Amino acid sequence: MRGAAEVLALACAGAAGVCASDIIRALRCGSRAEGIIGGVLDFASVAAGGAALWLAFLFIARGEMRLYWIMCVGIGAALYVFTIKSAMYRLFCVIFQNIFKFLYFILKILLTPARFLYKMIYVGLYTHTHNKKGDDTDVQKA
């Protein structure tokens, strides 16, 4: 009976590996990361999937790699991909987009005094260096 439990656990680990990769990909989607950050998140998505599979073989299979265990992981990953991958990815994207919108809102509130201070200093330096009075500035136009 222990063999059946290991087979089922490894199939679930295959699905968990793909799901871990989807979570990191959705993090990239939610944060709208581009450039180097996007590349780092792409690498992290592959690493998360690989780490999940490595941990599964380390703890469930006690470090052994047998062909039928590798096939169980592949079958579990394939079942996840062909059944619920797109729905889970969309769900994770929506979750991360809402989290980042909330964090942006909180950060905007927290940085409001700094934004006002920046504008005061910028307008002051602009009027001082261009010999203009406070009402004659074109800082708002720039």
Side-chain angles (χ1 to χ4, degrees):
M1 192 61 161
R2 182 178 168 115
E6 286 176 344
V7 166
L8 185 61
L10 285 171
C12 290
V18 178
C19 185
S21 178
D22 274 350
I23 289 172
I24 305 290
R25 282 184 52 232
L27 179 64
R28 180 180 180 184
C29 169
S31 66
R32 296 185 201 109
E34 296 177 0
I36 293 177
I37 303 282
V40 168
L41 287 175
D42 284 342
F43 175 75
S45 72
V46 173
L53 295 179
W54 179 74
L55 288 172
F57 276 111
L58 186 65
F59 291 111
I60 297 171
R62 296 175 301 279
E64 297 177 14
M65 289 230 190
R66 296 187 179 167
L67 183 62
Y68 66 93
W69 286 348
I70 295 172
M71 288 176 21
C72 290
V73 169
I75 290 170
L79 284 174
Y80 176 83
V81 167
F82 292 125
T83 56
I84 60 173
K85 178 180 169 58
S86 62
M88 294 299 286
Y89 178 71
R90 278 187 262 130
L91 176 69
F92 291 140
C93 277
V94 168
I95 288 170
F96 283 124
Q97 284 173 350
N98 289 332
I99 287 172
F100 281 111
K101 282 180 187 177
F102 178 73
L103 290 176
Y104 176 75
F105 177 71
I106 295 297
L107 196 61
K108 192 174 177 182
I109 289 172
L110 291 175
L111 292 179
T112 299
R115 193 172 51 231
F116 283 131
L117 182 64
Y118 169 75
K119 284 184 181 179
M120 287 173 40
I121 291 171
Y122 184 73
V123 169
L125 288 175
Y126 183 81
T127 56
H128 179 70
T129 56
H130 290 83
N131 292 327
K132 293 186 176 185
K133 297 191 178 182
D135 296 336
D136 298 336
T137 61
D138 5 45
V139 171
Q140 300 300 331
K141 296 177 187 174

